Amino acid sequence: MTNDTAITALPLAPGQWALDPFHSSVNFTIRHLGIAKVRGRFERLEADLFVGERIEDVRVSATVDLASVNTGNADRDAHVRASDLLHVEKRPTMTYRSTRVSGEGEDWTMEGELTIGDVTRPVSFAVEFGGLVDVPMDNSRHAGFEATGEIRRGDFGLDFAPGLLGEVVKIQLDMQFVEPKGA
């Protein structure tokens, strides 16, 4: 497959696509005591999608405010933010920068670097392209994506509470981006 075919398979107009924050989310799942899953999300995020002329030029960047964690339990959320867990005063954000995007049709892979605090590690996401839709209310075009991956807490120095919390954190991103005006 040539690069021109790959860009055609993902029919996005070149330019800087803006995040639709009202229809996007960063969710996670982690095991508690090895027997149950705790699910949560981060309420505040920023992300950009840059689409170039070639697939090699596609870039994604995102920043998540770790203090915006929401597991549905205010007491637990306060503990997750505390110095013995995430320590959001020391690690206020989690950032991701893609280094390579590949695939075709609906199934893609995004490789990149995830940084939590002062630790950066490579992380890959399986990406499903949900498609494009024209929104008649404002004449904008939206693209939808779901990305799934996982990290190991110890790789990022988040090795608190072994046995209490699982080592693997599963991440699910549901993202909508808005096509650049005039594209």
Side-chain angles (χ1 to χ4, degrees), residues 96-168:
Y96 185 80
R97 185 180 62 82
S98 70
T99 56
R100 183 172 186 260
V101 175
S102 61
E104 61 184 295
E106 295 179 359
D107 298 311
W108 295 79
T109 300
M110 179 173 60
E111 299 171 30
E113 296 178 335
L114 181 70
T115 301
I116 302 174
D118 59 355
V119 179
T120 301
R121 298 282 185 261
V123 173
S124 294
F125 289 94
V127 179
E128 178 185 329
F129 175 53
L132 289 166
V133 66
D134 292 322
V135 178
M137 294 169 286
D138 64 359
N139 293 319
S140 64
R141 177 173 259 198
H142 290 230
F145 303 88
E146 177 184 9
T148 56
E150 58 183 47
I151 64 170
R152 301 186 69 75
R153 294 186 309 122
D155 291 348
F156 293 90
L158 303 172
D159 48 2
F160 46 80
L164 180 63
L165 295 175
E167 171 64 9
V168 174

Side-chain angles (χ1 to χ4, degrees), residues 41-60:
R41 63 182 282 146
F42 293 97
E43 302 289 338
R44 291 186 298 273
L45 69 137
E46 298 174 1
D48 289 302
L49 167 63
F50 175 79
V51 177
E53 295 296 327
R54 302 172 309 139
I55 192 65
E56 291 85 2
D57 300 327
V58 173
R59 295 287 181 261
V60 176

Side-chain angles (χ1 to χ4, degrees), residues 29-104:
T29 305
I30 189 168
R31 289 265 179 199
H32 181 255
L33 299 176
I35 59 172
K37 292 180 181 177
V38 172
R39 299 175 192 282
R41 63 182 282 146
F42 293 97
E43 302 289 338
R44 291 186 298 273
L45 69 137
E46 298 174 1
D48 289 302
L49 167 63
F50 175 79
V51 177
E53 295 296 327
R54 302 172 309 139
I55 192 65
E56 291 85 2
D57 300 327
V58 173
R59 295 287 181 261
V60 176
S61 62
T63 301
V64 174
D65 179 352
L66 293 179
S68 72
V69 66
N70 181 350
T71 64
N73 180 303
D75 291 338
R76 177 175 49 215
D77 295 344
H79 187 223
V80 169
R81 290 182 196 104
S83 62
D84 60 329
L85 295 180
L86 279 181
H87 196 190
V88 297
E89 289 180 17
K90 178 181 173 187
R91 301 179 191 101
T93 61
M94 172 172 56
T95 60
Y96 185 80
R97 185 180 62 82
S98 70
T99 56
R100 183 172 186 260
V101 175
S102 61
E104 61 184 295

